[in-house]
Amino acid sequence: MTVPQDLQLTPSEREAVEEMSRRVSKDLPRKLYDEAFMYYRFLKARDMDVDAAEQMLRQASKRIFSVYFLCQ
């Protein structure tokens, strides 16, 4: 995934978003892992700590998918 140029990020933020994408892309549906802004939001919530943001994203995705499958 490449980070869109219209997303105004510093070089370190851009690097963090790309690292998050590399770490979780194979575990998320394509519609989610192509969203650079989603990674940025999780990173921002964890003060750009990639490890903490990844953990938070994985926990959130488990809850989201659990609810989705229960509703079907």
Side-chain angles (χ1 to χ4, degrees):
M1 177 202 79
T2 57
V3 178
Q5 293 301 318
D6 60 342
L7 195 57
Q8 301 295 317
L9 302 175
T10 66
S12 62
E13 290 172 336
R14 185 172 298 278
E15 186 178 315
V17 167
E18 290 172 353
E19 177 62 22
M20 278 279 290
S21 174
R22 280 191 293 276
R23 289 184 182 195
V24 300
S25 64
K26 61 183 168 243
D27 299 328
L28 296 175
R30 182 171 182 84
K31 187 173 184 172
L32 287 180
Y33 79 72
D34 271 349
E35 294 295 325
F37 189 68
M38 178 193 66
Y39 296 123
Y40 176 75
R41 291 180 65 177
F42 278 91
L43 285 159
K44 189 84 167 165
R46 292 296 178 247
D47 207 21
M48 291 299 162
D49 180 332
V50 177
D51 293 327
E54 177 186 3
Q55 182 180 10
M56 182 182 173
L57 174 60
R58 289 184 184 281
Q59 289 173 347
S61 67
K62 285 179 188 175
R63 286 191 303 269
I64 291 166
F65 294 132
S66 295
V67 170
Y68 174 77
F69 288 119
L70 286 173
C71 294
Q72 292 214 356

